Amino acid sequence: MPAIGKSNIVLDVINNRRSIRKYLDKPVSDEILAQILEAGFRAPFAAQLGSVIYTRSKEKMKEAGIGVYPTAPVHLIFFIDIARMEKIMKKRGHEYRSDDMFTIWLGMQDAVLVIENLTLAAESLGLGSVLYGMAPARADKIAITFNVPKRVFPVVGMSLGYPDPTEETEIRPRFPLEMSAFEDEYRHHTDEDIEICMKKMDEGYIAQGYYIKSRIKVPLGDKEDTIGFDKYSWSEHISRKFRNPDRRGDSLLEILRRHGFDLK
Ligand SMILES: Cc1cc2nc3c(=O)[nH]c(=O)nc-3n(C[C@H](O)[C@H](O)[C@H](O)COP(=O)(O)O)c2cc1C
């Protein structure tokens, strides 16, 4: 499917967004933050099952077990929030009885739409952001640090601020569109398709020197690592993440149960 090639402000913001890991020492005003948060919650919703806690305290994020990029001025944690809905139901004289994976999924759907809306709103105002995926694994510490009740569960963390222009940031590659967007039926990827996907990502990341510069590597643990940073690629990195599920600690199901979800 060829791109039409039109551009407008919204598409420019979307197409130029990249994760920001170094920020200027410039505070984000309450007004700007409120505007960004407001735009986040303008996202479509299934049942408004998303919430966010924001803080300017790196110490609190540390206490919550989330290592943030040191120059970032504002941090957020997004939640699936069932507790508020339970209270609304109670007022209506109803009991919450759909404590199952579907409700959590609905909460996840609501929360991620807020996250992306907020990301783009921030971007449009000249701010940048980066996400922290380990938040669900840190749910216990997050709950204590931020006084979070049962059945409110972290989806992802984020830092927000004005990008430091001295940081080299590149637009990271994506799979070719036809490998992710299919008309009418699923594309069962052939070996050749998979090689095309890997080539696009790996050559892109290697050309940008991403792993050489960041020195990020997932340790293999059980076997010798023969790949140097010059050959370490996106597909190797992502493959290593998915072969080591134990590195996250308890299973998500166990953590969810500790936070009030009585999942079968
Ligand atoms: C759910 C999720 C979790 C992420 N977690 C982290 C993280 O812990 N640390 C980090 O530096 N970047 C994290 N990222 C950012 C990704 O690395 C980044 O979005 C991806 O490499 C694509 O780059 P781009 O955002 O610049 O296009 C995360 C992104 C998502 C969507």
Side-chain angles (χ1 to χ4, degrees):
M1 194 193 346
I4 313 165
K6 282 198 175 148
S7 100
N8 62 39
I9 298 164
V10 178
L11 288 174
D12 289 348
V13 165
I14 291 173
N15 291 327
N16 287 312
R17 190 210 57 80
R18 74 281 312 265
S19 294
I20 298 299
R21 297 181 174 88
K22 204 168 165 205
Y23 297 85
L24 290 178
D25 182 17
K26 174 178 171 183
V28 179
S29 71
D30 287 347
E31 292 72 24
I32 293 284
L33 191 53
Q35 208 179 354
I36 292 169
L37 290 164
E38 187 91 42
F41 286 94
R42 288 308 314 164
F45 63 79
Q48 296 202 80
L49 299 176
S51 288
V52 63
I53 292 176
Y54 58 90
T55 178
R56 291 182 162 86
S57 165
K58 272 186 251 311
E59 290 67 37
K60 277 202 148 212
M61 291 300 276
K62 196 173 168 202
E63 211 181 304
I66 302 185
V68 298
Y69 289 102
T71 56
V74 179
H75 315 283
L76 306 94
I77 303 177
F78 296 90
F79 295 88
I80 296 169
D81 187 344
I82 310 298
R84 181 179 50 210
M85 186 50 66
E86 280 181 69
K87 289 186 178 174
I88 292 174
M89 291 172 68
K90 207 169 163 195
K91 286 250 181 226
R92 286 264 159 224
H94 299 296
E95 194 191 337
Y96 172 67
R97 283 188 298 201
S98 46
D99 192 24
D100 59 15
M101 212 39 141
F102 271 114
T103 306
I104 292 181
W105 216 255
L106 222 54
M108 177 67 92
Q109 289 168 332
D110 280 356
V112 295
L113 290 165
V114 171
I115 296 163
E116 187 58 9
N117 246 33
L118 189 148
T119 301
L120 294 176
E123 202 75 22
S124 76
L125 293 169
L127 287 88
S129 64
V130 65
L131 292 165
Y132 304 115
M134 284 304 274
R138 306 288 180 256
D140 299 349
K141 283 186 169 181
I142 289 172
I144 295 167
T145 309
F146 295 102
N147 194 18
V148 177
K150 294 283 182 208
R151 285 191 285 284
V152 176
F153 197 80
V155 174
V156 77
M158 179 190 274
S159 285
L160 195 66
Y162 293 95
D164 182 339
T166 64
E167 188 202 18
E168 264 184 61
T169 54
E170 283 108 352
I171 303 285
R172 304 283 171 223
R174 299 292 190 267
F175 294 139
L177 186 58
E178 63 276 19
M179 298 296 168
S180 302
F182 323 121
E183 186 168 5
D184 293 330
E185 67 171 288
Y186 187 78
R187 179 180 186 127
H188 292 264
H189 301 94
T190 61
D191 271 3
E192 200 190 357
D193 288 347
I194 295 301
E195 274 164 27
I196 291 169
C197 289
M198 290 168 69
K199 191 171 153 61
K200 173 100 187 291
M201 294 304 294
D202 293 347
E203 288 185 358
Y205 269 72
I206 288 172
Q208 293 176 352
Y210 180 75
Y211 297 104
I212 289 184
K213 283 187 229 159
S214 67
R215 314 306 278 181
I216 293 171
K217 214 182 205 199
V218 179
L220 280 172
D222 56 350
K223 55 180 179 179
E224 197 196 342
D225 192 346
T226 55
I227 303 180
F229 278 110
D230 54 330
K231 296 262 163 42
Y232 192 72
S233 62
W234 179 84
S235 62
E236 177 64 21
H237 183 70
I238 237 62
S239 302
R240 288 187 183 197
K241 279 194 169 182
F242 287 115
R243 76 184 281 283
N244 272 349
D246 295 348
R247 73 194 173 84
R248 303 189 195 110
D250 290 349
S251 78
L252 187 54
L253 202 54
E254 284 169 72
I255 307 174
L256 280 163
R257 285 193 183 119
R258 282 207 293 277
H259 290 266
F261 292 99
D262 184 25
L263 297 167
K264 309 286 172 294

